[in-house]
Amino acid sequence: MAKNMYAEDPDFKYLCVDQKQLMEDQTQPFDGKKNCWIVNPKGGYLKAEIQSTKGDDVTVLTEDREEVSVKKDTIQQMNPPKFEKLTDMANLTYLNEASVLYNLKARYVMSLIYTYSGLFCIAINPYRRLP
């Protein structure tokens, strides 16, 4: 079996996603017709699941188990878990504001500060010294 030539490099963790963690994240339950993003009144977006639709009003259940009624136009589609912590966001199925911000945050939490969007590299300053 081929040995990973970067396995010994302590700085490699800043460039590549841990495969075990990624596999766990990519196997989360998902329903493309129900899972969505809604605007968080405090800023940003919340993960939500559509419960019912009545005209232009949609009732969703947020990840905090709170039932909220929102307008249909404000809901943004969510990408399937197979796109979790994607290196190049140009490959996202739904390239909307909520999905881009979520991907950047998920990568930042894992100390993956470099993300691409097509030809452009996005670097998020971790406000700490990296090797």
Side-chain angles (χ1 to χ4, degrees):
M1 186 177 276
K3 184 179 178 184
N4 183 350
M5 62 187 214
Y6 299 110
E8 308 285 324
D9 186 355
D11 299 335
F12 190 63
K13 66 181 178 183
Y14 298 108
L15 301 173
C16 184
V17 179
D18 176 32
Q19 293 302 310
K20 288 180 184 176
Q21 179 66 44
L22 185 61
M23 188 66 106
E24 186 178 308
D25 292 341
Q26 290 180 341
T27 56
Q28 297 296 317
F30 179 79
D31 184 347
K33 294 182 180 180
K34 289 187 172 187
N35 293 92
C36 63
W37 295 106
I38 62 166
V39 176
N40 184 351
K42 297 175 185 172
Y45 296 89
L46 293 171
K47 289 181 181 181
E49 186 175 291
I50 296 172
Q51 299 296 307
S52 64
T53 305
K54 188 174 185 180
D56 282 347
D57 292 329
V58 178
T59 303
V60 298
L61 187 64
T62 67
E63 60 187 335
D64 299 330
R65 311 308 290 164
E66 182 181 337
E67 203 166 277
V68 180
S69 183
V70 295
K71 294 288 182 191
K72 195 176 209 174
D73 296 345
T74 62
I75 291 177
Q76 295 188 25
Q77 291 182 297
M78 187 181 285
N79 288 295
K82 74 176 187 176
F83 294 106
E84 186 73 20
K85 297 177 186 71
L86 198 63
T87 303
D88 189 349
M89 291 189 297
N91 296 327
L92 289 173
T93 301
Y94 303 113
L95 191 59
N96 53 43
E97 184 177 351
S99 296
V100 168
L101 291 174
Y102 173 76
N103 190 58
L104 290 171
K105 180 182 176 185
R107 289 181 57 81
Y108 176 80
V109 168
M110 298 290 295
S111 296
L112 301 166
I113 62 170
Y114 301 109
T115 307
Y116 291 89
S117 183
L119 297 175
F120 301 97
C121 179
I122 302 166
I124 299 178
N125 188 342
Y127 298 106
R128 61 186 166 92
R129 185 167 298 284
L130 296 175

